[in-house]
């Protein structure tokens, strides 16, 4: 198992070498691009999203890893130190996988979409060929340094370790911002791109909205994944101290996840507004036309996430003595979340396009049976949706207030919790990844029949917008493979450490009893 | 549990009746009923006795993943969908629009270059010919053209903001177009599509100022798509629906519009053979060597756009640099100089025996062969049209 771990560590290096050699390939975009059996679009979709999911994880996790390392150091709380330590182990494994899929992604781009790729590379040359590779090397050095110096840089040198962690986050975020420039350009390119400076290209209308949205979403995601890692370890744990620790870790991960999740609504809204302002027909395509049911799905996912998140708080409270008096209020809260979600997912009409399909014989009847009448139309508009979102956020917030009030008065033991709570944690991570896959698809599909909106049409036969049914299949597959990979990372990063006590980097001096 | 189920049932029935009474269509009421039962299940879960630790944690985690996946997958398939075949057909139509757009742009550039070089633009017939055609011979547009225009209207999603026959964007984003043929001239409609700033639709001053109507169609639509769209819009003359008048953006005064009595012809660009009626197989028709439209058509043939079964660029290369070893290299001026018109024609029509160069005469018309030759003749000059000197 050490061998696998070492093997994975070599991956980023290998990818870099391949990248540089592959970089020459784009210079000569071949005319007949490669076509792969399952369809080029499916391949690029699958690999790109997988890479993105992993990248979100390795960017998001370190943010709160460092924060909890700092808290642990400040308050001398060994649990925070251990949480940070363990999540780092998982992150390092996932880092190699991210690089692996990133390399794969670039090869597919060069092979299957040489024209777009070379266009973008030329336009963003300094980012692609300088910032990205250099950033990638620095990030790799930092993350391995951060991981391997953990035990050595304790005590007086702890500060240096924390500084390394902070740098790791800064570099990672910069890399993401660089790539966001390209991703957002493809959706909202500035009109006069030929004469634009690099900065103008980068700072296109949706760059900042995307940056902020992704930054916060990565924290959410890191939190939920942390909760899931904890939940899995909790369920697999054999001893009470283990269970106590992982129970606590799940609580922290979920707390960070839900908290930043609630903050996501606003940047998401701003992102959408910017798209409308850039070109209303893009926004309409997303919210009212072909992609409208994708947003139904998003509503369902977010609604269930609030519901299950609140359920987790509920189970956390039930083990606190004397917390019963909050139970009725909590139940009302659940009712409110459900009501809010019912409003949230009420669409203008229950069909997937702006107009009834051409094949419908009696369009008037079709509409009458499926569309909100005028006096109820307000339910489909933004004010209603915003109120619903706000209500859900408020309920979760109040639930946490109840929790912290009860914990002051009552007593509780970490590790004694209804195991369903752990499945709630797993669901939250699962829904987060599914939602990312869904919104990733939306962001790509919103460009309609363009590789780069209005600049480069997509002339392949696969340029059409797939149905949500098909997208669901893709997203589900991607999500499952992602979790298989995270499972692998957990196993390599944590389970093998538990199983092999001789590995010298296991003993964390500060952790005390839990590893004894 | 039974008792709570009955309570849920009562609540659900009440929700169903009330929402129906308020005016929700049934499908919405059913969704609300669904929510009631989800709520009921959730209450059961809240009050359920704590579960025992799962005996086989790994297995139960995997099962949980699969379960969650299946549920999301099913929901994704359960909500309404559209027919992907229609989407694919639409993409095919848009492909040809984009290719034509690209060709038109190239042709324009070519023409500009030639004019800049002081060359006579022989028989210049730009694809955007409607204005000229309108002036030349007013005739009613064909029903096919109008139908094609309706497809363009739908493919480019004008319905998102405009209504025709009451159908289209629910929110009042833009004016109803039912009587657009009655209040606007064909030229104004065309101008508005290509540049929304040309006039204000009365009553939509705010939207005009915010730039709601996209200014991107001039980049997106091929000339013949615009022609068809204009023909379709001009055919809409239902005066029972109010379509706003055009206002001058500078003065705010109504624009003077000569509303065409006979709807203007739009399809002039469809088939416009540019020159010489008599076309033989010995010589390039008069003027074709340098005619940008002929060259543009030749490019379509050369690149397999005109007929997918014939794609010269697959062997001779898109830019003339052979892709297939052994294929003739038309960037070589000597090779071109060595071919007479007749030889050139014969080799394309009848092929070169025992080589991959097959006889394309069966798949191309005589005109197309001359067109592709005219295009091939531009490789050795770096893209400049030039009269071939070996007749």
């Amino acid at each position: 198992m050490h061998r696998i771990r070492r093997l994975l560590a070599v991956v980023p290096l290998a990818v870099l070498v391949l990248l540089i050699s592959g970089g020459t390939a784009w210079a000569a975009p071949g005319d007949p691009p490669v076509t792969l059996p399952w369809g080029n679009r499916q391949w690029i979709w699958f690999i790109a999203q997988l890479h993105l999911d992993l990248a979100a994880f390795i960017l998001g996790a370190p943010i709160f890893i460092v924060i909890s390392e700092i808290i642990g150091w400040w308050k001398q709380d060994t649990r925070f130190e251990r949480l940070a330590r363990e999540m780092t182990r998982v992150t390092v494994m996932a880092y190699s996988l991210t690089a692996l899929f990133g390399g794969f992604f670039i090869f597919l781009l060069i092979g299957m979409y040489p024209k777009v790729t070379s266009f973008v590379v030329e336009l963003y040359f300094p980012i692609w060929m300088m910032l990205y590779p250099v950033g990638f090397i620095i990030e790799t050095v930092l993350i391995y340094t951060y991981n391997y110096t953990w035990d050595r840089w304790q005590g007086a040198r702890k500060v240096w370790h924390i500084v390394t962690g902070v740098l790791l986050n800064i570099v990672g975020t910069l890399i993401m911002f660089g790539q966001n420039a390209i991703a957002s350009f493809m959706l909202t390119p500035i009109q006069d791109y030929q004469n634009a400076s690099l900065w103008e290209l980068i700072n296109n209308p949706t760059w900042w909205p995307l940056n902020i949205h992704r930054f916060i979403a990565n924290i959410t995601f890191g939190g939920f994944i942390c909760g899931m890692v904890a939940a899995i370890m909790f369920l697999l744990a054999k001893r009470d101290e283990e269970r106590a620790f992982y129970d606590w870790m799940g609580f922290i991960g979920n707390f960070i996840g839900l908290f930043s999740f609630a903050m996501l609504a606003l940047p998401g809204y701003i992102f959408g507004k910017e798209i409308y302002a850039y070109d209303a027909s893009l926004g309409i395509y997303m919210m009212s036309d072909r992609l409208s049911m994708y947003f139904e799905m998003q509503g369902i996912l977010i609604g269930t996430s609030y519901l299950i998140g609140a359920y987790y708080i509920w189970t956390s409270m039930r083990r606190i003595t004397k917390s019963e008096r909050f139970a009725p209020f909590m139940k009302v809260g659940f009712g409110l979340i459900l009501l809010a979600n019912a409003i949230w997912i009420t669409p203008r009409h229950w069909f997937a396009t702006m107009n009834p399909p051409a094949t419908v014989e009696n369009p008037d009847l079709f509409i009458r049976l499926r569309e909100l009448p005028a006096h109820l139309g307000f339910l489909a508009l933004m004010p209603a949706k915003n109120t619903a979102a706000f209500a859900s956020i408020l309920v979760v917030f109040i639930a946490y207030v109840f929790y912290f009030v009860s914990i002051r008065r009552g007593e509780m033991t970490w590790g004694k919790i209804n195991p369903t709570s752990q499945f709630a944690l797993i669901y939250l991570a699962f829904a987060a990844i599914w939602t990312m896959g869904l919104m990733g698809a939306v962001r790509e599909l919103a460009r309609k029949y363009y590789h780069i909106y209005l600049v480069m049409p997509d002339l392949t036969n696969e340029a059409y917008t797939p149905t949500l049914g098909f997208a669901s299949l893709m997203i589900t597959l991607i999500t499952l493979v992602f979790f298989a990979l995270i499972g692998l990372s957990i196993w390599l990063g944590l389970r093998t450490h538990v199983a092999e006590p001789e590995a010298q980097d296991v003993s964390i001096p500060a952790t005390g009893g839990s590893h004894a | 549990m039974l008792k709570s189920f009955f309570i849920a049932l009562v609540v659900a029935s009440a929700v169903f009746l009330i929402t129906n009474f308020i005016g929700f269509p049934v499908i919405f009421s059913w969704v609300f009923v669904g929510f009631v039962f989800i709520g009921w299940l959730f209450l059961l879960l809240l009050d359920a006795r704590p579960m025992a630790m799962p005996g086989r944690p790994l297995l139960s985690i995997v099962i949980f993943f699969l379960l969650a996946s299946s549920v999301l997958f099913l929901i994704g398939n359960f909500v309404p969908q559209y027919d992907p075949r229609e989407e694919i057909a639409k993409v095919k139509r848009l492909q040809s629009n984009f290719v034509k757009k690209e060709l038109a742009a190239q042709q324009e550039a070519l023409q500009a270059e030639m004019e800049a070089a002081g060359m006579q633009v022989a028989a210049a017939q730009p694809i955007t010919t409607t204005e000229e055609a309108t002036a030349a011979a007013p005739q009613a547009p064909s029903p096919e053209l109008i139908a094609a225009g309706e497809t363009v209207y739908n493919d480019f999603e004008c319905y998102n903001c405009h209504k025709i026959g009451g159908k289209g964007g629910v929110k009042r984003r833009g004016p109803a177009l039912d009587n657009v043929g009655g209040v606007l001239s064909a030229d104004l409609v065309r101008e508005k599509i290509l540049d929304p700033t040309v006039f204000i639709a009365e009553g939509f001053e705010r939207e005009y100022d915010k730039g709601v109507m996209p200014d991107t169609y001039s980049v997106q639509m091929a000339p013949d798509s615009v022609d068809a769209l204009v023909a379709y819009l001009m055919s809409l003359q239902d005066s029972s629906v109010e379509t706003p008048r055009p206002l001058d953006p500078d003065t705010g005064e109504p624009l003077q519009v000569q509303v065409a009595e006979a709807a203007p012809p739009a399809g002039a660009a469809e088939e416009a053979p540019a020159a010489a009626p008599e076309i033989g197989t010995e010589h390039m028709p008069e003027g074709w060597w340098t005619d940008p439209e002929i060259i543009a058509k030749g490019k379509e043939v050369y690149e397999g756009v005109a007929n997918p079964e014939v794609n010269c660029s697959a062997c001779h290369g898109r830019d003339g640099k052979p892709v297939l070893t052994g294929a003739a290299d038309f960037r070589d001026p000597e090779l071109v100089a060595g071919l007479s018109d007749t030889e050139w024609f014969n080799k394309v029509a009848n092929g070169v025996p025992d080589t991959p160069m097959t006889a394309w005469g069966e798949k191309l018309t005589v005109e197309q062969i001359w067109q592709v030759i005219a295009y091939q003749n531009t490789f050795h000059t770096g893209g400049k049209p030039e009269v071939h000197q070996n007749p």
Side-chain angles (χ1 to χ4, degrees):
Chain A
M1 268 180 277
H2 273 333
R3 211 172 306 143
I4 306 180
R5 266 210 300 274
R6 248 166 247 149
L7 208 69
L8 272 175
V10 184
V11 164
L13 228 109
V15 167
L16 195 72
V17 173
L18 287 175
L19 253 179
I20 290 167
S21 59
T24 43
W26 65 262
D31 212 5
V34 183
T35 34
L36 293 180
W38 183 34
N40 283 0
R41 182 190 23 203
Q42 277 68 269
W43 275 100
I44 205 83
W45 184 346
F46 192 88
I47 298 299
Q49 189 62 52
L50 209 49
H51 172 59
L52 224 71
D53 291 349
L54 285 163
F57 173 57
I58 61 156
L59 286 179
I63 296 175
F64 78 82
I65 287 177
V66 171
I67 293 175
S68 53
E69 188 186 10
I70 295 172
I71 296 176
W73 177 60
W74 194 256
K75 294 172 56 176
Q76 289 297 311
D77 184 337
T78 55
R79 290 178 307 178
F80 279 100
E81 165 90 3
R82 182 171 167 202
L83 181 156
R85 181 77 189 103
E86 300 210 341
M87 280 309 286
T88 305
R89 288 211 176 96
V90 179
T91 308
V92 169
M93 293 302 133
Y95 185 79
S96 304
L97 292 170
T98 313
L100 187 68
F101 281 96
F104 198 8
F105 177 37
I106 291 191
F107 278 113
L108 286 184
L109 275 180
I110 294 170
M112 304 196 301
Y113 301 94
K115 228 176 112 195
V116 208
T117 312
S118 58
F119 180 88
V120 171
V121 170
E122 257 168 60
L123 214 53
Y124 284 94
F125 195 82
I127 291 191
W128 264 97
M129 286 302 161
M130 283 140 68
L131 178 85
Y132 201 46
V134 172
F136 186 69
I137 294 172
I138 299 176
E139 177 86 352
T140 308
V141 170
L142 283 173
I143 200 167
Y144 284 104
T145 309
Y146 187 66
N147 186 36
Y148 288 114
T149 57
W150 198 292
D151 302 322
R152 240 162 285 155
W153 289 0
Q154 289 288 349
R157 281 190 285 180
K158 186 72 176 167
V159 185
W160 290 113
H161 193 255
I162 291 175
V163 168
T164 312
V166 171
L167 279 178
L168 174 68
N169 278 300
I170 293 176
V171 175
T173 305
L174 283 179
I175 294 180
M176 181 185 77
F177 282 6
Q179 291 305 321
N180 285 355
I182 297 172
S184 55
F185 176 81
M186 292 176 84
L187 181 62
T188 57
I190 52 168
Q191 304 280 330
D192 190 19
Y193 66 92
Q194 288 107 329
N195 304 316
S197 67
L198 182 66
W199 172 247
E200 286 166 330
L201 287 173
I202 293 173
N203 193 16
N204 68 70
T206 54
W207 185 51
W208 269 114
L210 185 62
N211 283 344
I212 294 172
H213 193 277
R214 273 194 172 163
F215 183 76
I216 298 179
N218 285 351
I219 302 179
T220 306
F221 181 50
F224 283 155
I225 292 275
C226 172
M228 183 192 73
V229 170
I232 292 177
M233 296 300 281
F234 177 94
L235 291 170
L236 295 178
K238 300 247 154 42
R239 283 168 298 146
D240 278 347
E241 326 66 287
E242 289 291 301
R243 243 169 253 134
F245 171 71
Y246 287 117
D247 181 9
W248 171 84
M249 174 168 162
F251 182 84
I252 295 294
N254 187 58
F255 182 69
I256 294 171
L258 273 182
F259 203 78
S260 49
F261 186 52
M263 297 204 305
L264 256 183
L266 189 63
Y269 180 69
I270 292 173
F271 194 5
K273 255 210 129 77
E274 281 298 326
I275 292 179
Y276 268 96
Y278 176 83
D279 182 340
S281 71
L282 285 180
I284 299 168
Y285 194 76
M286 284 177 4
M287 307 304 293
S288 316
D289 198 352
R290 298 298 194 279
L291 296 174
S292 55
M293 285 298 141
Y294 284 64
F295 279 89
E296 271 312 299
M297 197 68 195
Q298 187 209 29
I300 293 171
L301 283 160
I302 294 180
T304 50
S305 294
Y306 279 126
L307 204 59
I308 304 282
Y311 174 73
Y312 177 80
I313 306 173
W314 167 269
T315 51
S316 302
M317 270 175 80
R318 292 216 107 187
R319 55 163 166 193
I320 305 173
T321 54
K322 292 190 255 172
S323 69
E324 299 79 16
R325 63 209 167 95
F326 291 122
F329 299 108
M330 293 281 279
K331 283 184 182 167
V332 173
F334 287 116
L336 253 171
I337 293 184
L338 268 175
L339 181 68
N341 194 229
I343 291 172
W344 190 329
I345 73 154
T346 293
R348 167 67 66 167
H349 49 223
W350 279 109
F351 48 89
T353 47
M354 175 67 104
N355 287 328
T359 43
V360 169
E361 299 220 337
N362 185 344
D364 290 327
L365 181 69
F366 186 87
I367 288 183
R368 198 141 28 83
L369 292 178
R370 289 173 181 78
E371 186 165 295
L372 285 180
H375 66 284
L376 294 170
F378 72 94
L379 281 173
L381 297 181
M382 250 11 241
K385 309 289 178 202
N386 288 343
T387 313
F390 183 70
S392 304
I393 294 172
L394 196 68
V395 170
V396 170
F397 180 76
I398 292 176
Y400 267 117
V401 171
F402 287 165
Y403 177 86
F404 287 114
V405 171
S406 351
I407 214 163
R408 278 176 178 237
R409 306 208 176 138
E411 275 170 35
M412 66 163 281
T413 327
W414 288 110
K416 300 242 174 318
I417 188 167
N418 185 349
T420 48
S421 62
Q422 305 303 306
F423 288 98
L425 291 179
I426 294 177
Y427 176 80
L428 286 172
F430 188 86
I433 268 295
W434 219 95
T435 312
M436 275 173 64
L438 183 73
M439 297 330 277
V442 165
R443 203 172 41 75
E444 299 295 301
L445 297 171
R447 302 194 302 253
K448 302 192 238 182
Y449 325 101
Y450 286 94
H451 288 307
I452 301 168
Y453 188 61
L454 298 182
V455 171
M456 189 180 286
D458 180 354
L459 294 177
T460 63
N461 291 343
E462 296 169 322
Y464 66 95
T465 305
T467 59
L468 179 60
F470 181 75
S472 301
L473 177 67
M474 289 295 297
I475 298 164
T476 304
L477 285 178
I478 293 165
T479 310
L480 283 177
V481 172
F482 174 77
F483 280 114
L485 293 175
I486 290 294
L488 183 73
S489 302
I490 296 178
W491 179 63
L492 289 173
L494 294 184
R495 290 299 290 177
T496 56
H497 276 284
V498 178
E500 297 167 37
E502 85 281 355
Q504 85 282 34
D505 54 338
V506 162
S507 55
I508 307 158
T511 336
S514 53
H515 252 298
Chain B
M1 186 166 130
L2 207 61
K3 191 178 130 211
S4 67
F5 177 75
F6 277 114
I7 297 176
L9 206 61
V10 170
V11 174
S13 314
V15 165
F16 187 85
L17 290 176
I18 294 172
T19 51
N20 233 318
F21 180 75
I22 305 177
F24 282 100
V26 173
I27 185 168
F28 288 84
S29 304
W30 281 120
V31 174
F32 295 140
V33 166
F35 269 93
V36 173
F37 281 102
I38 292 175
W40 171 64
L41 286 174
F42 208 78
L43 281 180
L44 288 186
L45 179 67
L46 291 184
D47 290 333
R49 239 176 296 128
M51 168 189 161
M53 276 300 274
R56 290 199 190 150
L58 209 56
L59 187 68
S60 44
I61 292 169
V62 170
I63 291 179
F64 182 77
F65 271 131
L66 293 178
L67 207 72
S69 302
S70 318
V71 170
L72 290 182
F73 173 71
L74 285 178
I75 296 176
N77 278 275
F78 181 73
V79 298
Q81 317 274 321
Y82 38 80
D83 186 348
R85 283 169 309 181
E86 274 177 37
E87 301 303 304
I88 291 170
K90 176 174 171 184
V91 156
K92 290 258 157 75
R93 286 194 298 272
L94 288 170
Q95 278 174 8
S96 91
N97 170 77
F98 286 135
V99 169
K100 284 183 191 154
K101 175 78 198 161
E102 174 70 22
L103 284 174
Q106 282 174 6
Q107 189 191 330
E108 236 169 68
L110 195 69
Q111 215 162 332
E113 207 175 294
M114 284 171 74
E115 268 159 21
M119 288 172 75
Q120 268 287 329
V121 185
Q125 270 272 1
I127 298 185
T128 350
T129 53
T130 321
E131 290 98 311
E132 295 159 40
T134 315
Q139 46 175 261
S142 64
E144 290 82 26
L145 189 65
I146 291 179
E150 186 173 1
T151 310
V152 173
Y153 179 88
N154 285 323
D155 285 353
F156 283 93
E157 299 150 5
C158 312
Y159 55 71
N160 279 333
C161 304
H162 295 290
K163 276 190 177 162
I164 293 176
K167 304 239 159 38
V170 233
K171 236 175 145 182
R172 188 173 165 276
R173 286 204 170 83
L177 296 179
D178 298 73
N179 191 26
V180 66
V183 295
L184 294 179
S185 69
D187 285 346
L188 276 179
V189 170
R190 173 186 302 276
E191 282 171 31
K192 182 78 183 171
I193 295 170
L194 297 178
D195 174 13
T197 59
V198 292
F199 66 79
I200 307 171
E202 190 173 18
F204 288 84
E205 287 80 2
R206 240 168 43 113
E207 285 82 356
Y208 177 92
D209 289 339
K210 283 198 339 201
V212 174
M213 165 107 176
D215 57 0
T216 58
Y217 298 119
S218 63
V219 189
Q220 301 198 62
M221 285 189 194
D224 64 349
S225 304
V226 180
D227 290 338
L229 180 55
V230 171
Y232 168 61
L233 291 177
M234 289 312 290
S235 75
L236 302 172
Q237 306 194 346
D238 177 358
S239 55
S240 69
V241 179
E242 198 184 333
T243 296
R245 292 183 303 170
L247 304 182
D248 188 313
D250 299 325
T251 61
E253 296 297 312
L255 283 179
Q256 290 300 320
V257 184
Q258 279 112 24
V259 179
E261 261 124 71
E270 274 179 317
E271 282 307 321
E278 268 174 56
I279 296 174
T281 58
E282 274 106 61
H283 293 291
M284 179 66 82
E286 188 64 37
W288 279 29
W289 283 115
T290 53
D291 182 337
E293 196 186 348
I294 294 299
I295 293 173
K297 284 198 171 148
K299 184 175 189 322
E300 279 186 58
V301 176
Y302 188 83
E303 294 180 350
V305 179
N307 178 353
E309 285 180 65
V310 183
N311 184 353
C312 318
S313 69
C315 300
H316 291 286
R318 205 164 257 250
D319 47 3
K321 182 179 169 196
V323 184
L324 177 85
T325 331
D329 185 346
F330 282 88
R331 295 170 309 167
D332 176 6
E334 280 182 36
L335 178 135
V336 177
L339 286 167
S340 72
D341 283 16
T342 317
E343 278 171 327
W344 201 333
F345 186 93
N346 281 339
K347 289 208 168 156
V348 178
N350 306 322
V352 183
D354 303 324
T355 73
M357 179 66 195
T358 30
W360 303 109
E362 294 157 17
K363 295 188 174 130
L364 298 174
T365 63
V366 175
E367 286 91 338
Q368 283 178 317
I369 292 178
W370 285 124
Q371 287 161 359
V372 75
I373 289 176
Y375 178 61
Q376 240 177 354
N377 188 47
T378 61
F379 287 133
H380 72 98
T381 61
K384 280 211 187 59
E386 193 180 279
V387 176
H388 182 50
Q389 293 305 351
N390 183 357

